[in-house]
Amino acid sequence: MTAPLMVDAQQVHKSFGVNEVLKGIDFQVAPGQVICLLGPSGSGKSTFLRCINHLEKINAGRLYVDGELVGYRQVGDKLHELPEKEVARKRTEIGMVFQHFNLFPHMTALGNIMEAPTRVKGEPKDDVRARAMDLLAKVGLADRARAYPRQLSGGQQQRVAIARALAMRPKLMLFDEPTSALDPELVGDVLAVMRDLARSGMTMIVVTHEIGFAREVADTVVFMDGGVVVESGPPSEVISNPQHTRTQAFLSQVL
């Protein structure tokens, strides 16, 4: 029996008022795959990412993570929205890293990483502390455990944010342009952490403008524009030899 897809989006639609942002997205991610989403601002990439962990509710279609409907249960042919508590519990299985680091300013790097596993999952503090220190070492910040966010560079804060997401032992990691708010010289350290994570077998969906990273790390590159998937395939095809004129025009501006 084959393992279920980690993400299976079937004709996903999302509107904000009269503005239809996602216009029928079909999208599959197998366990262990790294997918990079490319496209211009406003193409629906970040909205789609937020739908995957039910930060946004879809208006039509079906969205599954690891074989389970996101945000709903199906009875017959009807969908029933899950209680918020159940949604929150399932959300703990999906790590998300945003453009802005959203660290708690009054907590140290170590405290930020320990907060959710101890408070949300009720795990023993000593176990969580050991795991948090391992994660800080993994992102190259073992010596900054007691530093507060204001004492860290943007790149360091983003690496703490990645460690914080990993502390919940997620089955899927979502990255929403994690380097776009960073000074250029700080981008490399964050991408290095993400590269290591990809090599470890973590399933990842990354919204990014870092074309070199996508070319190197992605199993599949998906180009979105106007709320639809325009083109998808291996980086060697989509980035190096795009077939669609819209993809060609976009890449000619960013490469």
Side-chain angles (χ1 to χ4, degrees):
M1 186 173 156
T2 56
L5 290 165
M6 186 58 76
V7 178
D8 184 12
Q10 303 172 5
Q11 281 298 297
V12 167
H13 289 255
K14 173 64 185 175
S15 297
F16 295 99
V18 296
N19 181 22
E20 192 178 20
V21 178
L22 301 177
K23 302 173 182 174
I25 299 287
D26 289 307
F27 186 96
Q28 284 77 39
V29 184
Q33 272 196 314
V34 178
I35 311 292
C36 284
L37 290 179
L38 306 180
S41 296
S43 58
K45 309 181 302 294
S46 295
T47 298
F48 179 58
L49 218 56
R50 291 171 68 84
C51 289
I52 292 172
N53 68 355
H54 208 58
L55 287 173
E56 299 290 354
K57 298 174 186 178
I58 67 174
N59 299 114
R62 295 283 190 277
L63 187 47
Y64 298 87
V65 170
D66 202 18
E68 294 187 1
L69 270 173
V70 173
Y72 300 91
R73 62 188 167 85
Q74 188 160 343
V75 181
D77 58 356
K78 282 210 168 68
L79 289 184
H80 298 267
E81 193 160 354
L82 292 174
E84 185 52 43
K85 200 171 180 181
E86 181 71 5
V87 171
R89 186 185 66 74
K90 293 197 174 200
R91 200 176 280 142
T92 64
E93 300 176 341
I94 303 173
M96 187 153 184
V97 179
F98 299 89
Q99 292 180 32
H100 300 288
F101 331 116
N102 302 327
L103 298 179
F104 298 117
H106 62 291
M107 290 183 184
T108 62
L110 183 64
N112 266 281
I113 296 168
M114 290 180 61
E115 176 72 0
T118 51
R119 187 166 294 227
V120 177
K121 284 190 167 179
E123 293 185 45
K125 264 194 172 164
D126 288 347
D127 294 356
V128 175
R129 181 177 284 107
R131 187 158 85 244
M133 287 304 299
D134 283 347
L135 286 167
L136 279 169
K138 197 175 272 188
V139 300
L141 293 171
D143 60 336
R144 305 296 278 150
R146 301 201 187 308
Y148 288 89
R150 67 179 178 278
Q151 298 168 316
L152 300 172
S153 71
Q156 289 171 329
Q157 289 185 61
Q158 191 61 295
R159 283 184 277 155
V160 172
I162 294 171
R164 177 177 62 179
L166 292 173
M168 294 293 279
R169 295 185 169 130
K171 56 174 91 168
L172 169 67
M173 284 286 287
L174 309 176
F175 293 88
D176 189 5
E177 298 193 30
T179 58
S180 66
L182 300 178
D183 293 331
E185 68 269 23
L186 302 177
V187 167
D189 290 338
V190 173
L191 292 181
V193 169
M194 292 170 64
R195 264 188 212 99
D196 287 344
L197 194 55
R199 287 190 199 109
S200 77
M202 174 63 75
T203 311
M204 297 165 56
I205 304 175
V206 185
V207 172
T208 186
H209 292 297
E210 302 288 343
I211 306 297
F213 174 82
R215 182 184 271 129
E216 180 188 346
V217 176
D219 297 298
T220 300
V221 171
V222 176
F223 177 73
M224 285 179 64
D225 189 30
V228 299
V229 171
V230 174
E231 191 167 346
S232 69
S236 58
E237 292 175 14
V238 177
I239 295 174
S240 304
N241 188 27
Q243 300 302 300
H244 198 282
T245 53
R246 186 66 195 89
T247 318
Q248 293 165 3
F250 174 79
L251 288 170
S252 71
Q253 291 179 320
V254 296
L255 286 176

